[in-house]
């Protein structure tokens, strides 16, 4: 095992050299960057504790004017704004043009970035209508500048940034890159009812110095939530929703900040995700909370969808005055997705299968609520 690990590190190092040394020679086009994470905070100052003045999504491009302490300065809403540089990928103009030429010739587009937005038009100003992942291949309909219009599985079309794709031979995509996407296939064939036009704020509870509940074996609630949120965000995007997350990594976000992010947007629904804990290990199951009476229907629809999708005890819908719900302008719910202090729940909630089912249940519950 140890030899294999050393070998992988060596291969990883070679890949690192291969990927990064050539890009360094394209230094002349370094002032445009693309967001390489699903959601990225835009801050007023170059510091983690500075106030958040906006959010960017994966694939959004920023022009950089200066750099300071690992932060880059751009403009957001006409104001000077700062973004952590390690979430940005340099966009090389020479790479972009060579890619689009070969893509147009081949008639097929294969996504090369890990996760890419599908948009309604050729530019980052157009709304996000879905997501696609590394290894996914589409028929090219037409190209406009650096953007490619492709046929989607549901019969419609969407636009993908050309520089996040790789035209060459689709057969060259390693099969293990595809395996991650197999799970997503059923969710992409979303029915006629969709979440297109809806802005959903996902709120992964806890993070950073706040681990949330601590379960059996020292499992942290925040960690199980993080992986679950990724799946929920993905399925919501596949259903057409615009998804905003209140934290996109393991860092602390105050309750007030979560509320603020939620209220900054024209949010149609706010969904806070949690796992539960209780001193008595027999206590188990899933529940959904709401604060204001007007949010009861949202809680009912999502809990009903959850209870019929997962094999967990249904604790039902409950009212509670959680701060993130009380001060939210949009319809808001808080989901408790199982007890990490119950051995059976814990064994289930950590599986990718369960988290995918939760994602499906939240998506269907929201579709039922909105339609
Ligand atoms: Zn919690």
């Amino acid at each position: 095992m140890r030899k294999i690990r050393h070998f992988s590190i060596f291969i990883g190092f070679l890949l690192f050299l291969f990927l990064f040394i050539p890009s360094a020679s394209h230094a002349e086009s370094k002032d445009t960057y693309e967001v390489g994470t699903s959601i990225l905070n835009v801050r007023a100052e170059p510091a983690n504790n500075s106030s958040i003045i906006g959010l960017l999504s994966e694939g959004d491009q920023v022009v950089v004017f200066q750099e300071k302490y690992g932060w880059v300065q751009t403009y957001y809403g006409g104001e000077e704004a700062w973004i952590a540089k390690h979430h940005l990928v340099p966009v090389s103009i020479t790479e972009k043009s060579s890619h689009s030429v070969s893509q147009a010739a081949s008639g097929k587009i294969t996504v090369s970035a890990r996760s890419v937005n599908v948009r309604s038009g050729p530019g980052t100003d157009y709304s996000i209508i879905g997501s696609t992942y590394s290894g996914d291949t589409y028929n090219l309909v037409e190209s406009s500048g650096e953007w490619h219009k492709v046929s989607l599985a549901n019969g419609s079309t969407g636009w993908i940034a050309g520089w996040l794709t790789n035209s060459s031979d689709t057969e060259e995509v390693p099969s293990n890159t595809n395996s991650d996407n197999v799970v997503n296939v059923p969710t992409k064939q979303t029915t006629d009812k969709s979440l297109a036009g809806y802005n959903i704020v996902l709120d992964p509870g806890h993070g950073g110095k706040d681990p949330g509940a601590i379960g059996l074996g020292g499992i942290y609630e925040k960690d199980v939530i993080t992986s679950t949120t990724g799946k929920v965000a993905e399925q919501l995007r596949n259903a057409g929703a615009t998804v905003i997350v209140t934290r996109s990594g393991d860092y602390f976000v105050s309750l007030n900040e979560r509320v603020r992010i939620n209220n900054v947007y024209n949010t149609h629904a706010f969904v806070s995700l949690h796992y539960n804990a209780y001193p008595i290990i027999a206590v188990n199951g899933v529940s959904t909370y709401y604060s204001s009476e007007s949010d009861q229907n949202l809680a009912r629809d999502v809990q009903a969808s959850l209870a019929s999708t997962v094999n967990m005890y249904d604790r039902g819908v409950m009212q509670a005055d959680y701060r993130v719900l009380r001060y939210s302008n949009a319809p808001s719910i808080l989901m408790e997705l199982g007890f990490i202090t119950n051995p059976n729940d814990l064994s289930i909630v950590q599986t990718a299968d369960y988290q995918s089912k939760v994602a499906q249940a939240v998506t269907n519950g929201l579709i039922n609520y909105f339609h």
Side-chain angles (χ1 to χ4, degrees), residues 110-122:
T110 299
V111 174
S112 58
R114 204 171 63 82
S115 168
V116 176
N117 290 323
V118 181
R119 294 186 183 266
S120 60

Side-chain angles (χ1 to χ4, degrees), residues 204-206 210-213 221-222 225 272-277 322 334-336:
H206 315 285
D210 168 19
E221 179 188 357
K222 66 174 184 179
I225 291 168
S272 190
L273 301 175
H274 289 256
Y275 285 92
N276 224 331
Y322 290 120
L334 186 147
M335 302 179 76
E336 291 285 1

Side-chain angles (χ1 to χ4, degrees), residues 290-300 325 330-333 369:
Y290 64 94
S291 173
S292 133
E293 285 296 331
S294 58
D295 296 350
Q296 198 176 358
N297 284 342
L298 173 61
R300 284 219 173 108
L325 302 182
S332 302
I333 53 172
Y369 173 72

Side-chain angles (χ1 to χ4, degrees), residues 259-281:
V259 170
R260 200 192 66 77
I261 292 170
N262 182 29
N263 290 342
V264 150
Y265 286 88
N266 175 26
T267 305
H268 296 99
F270 172 88
V271 180
S272 190
L273 301 175
H274 289 256
Y275 285 92
N276 224 331
Y278 200 72
I280 300 167
I281 67 164

Side-chain angles (χ1 to χ4, degrees), residues 129-133 184 187-188 190 233-241:
I129 58 170
S131 304
T132 180
Y133 303 90
N184 302 324
T187 68
K188 279 186 189 159
T190 318
E234 195 175 295
Q235 289 220 21
L236 288 173
R237 288 190 179 117
N238 286 343

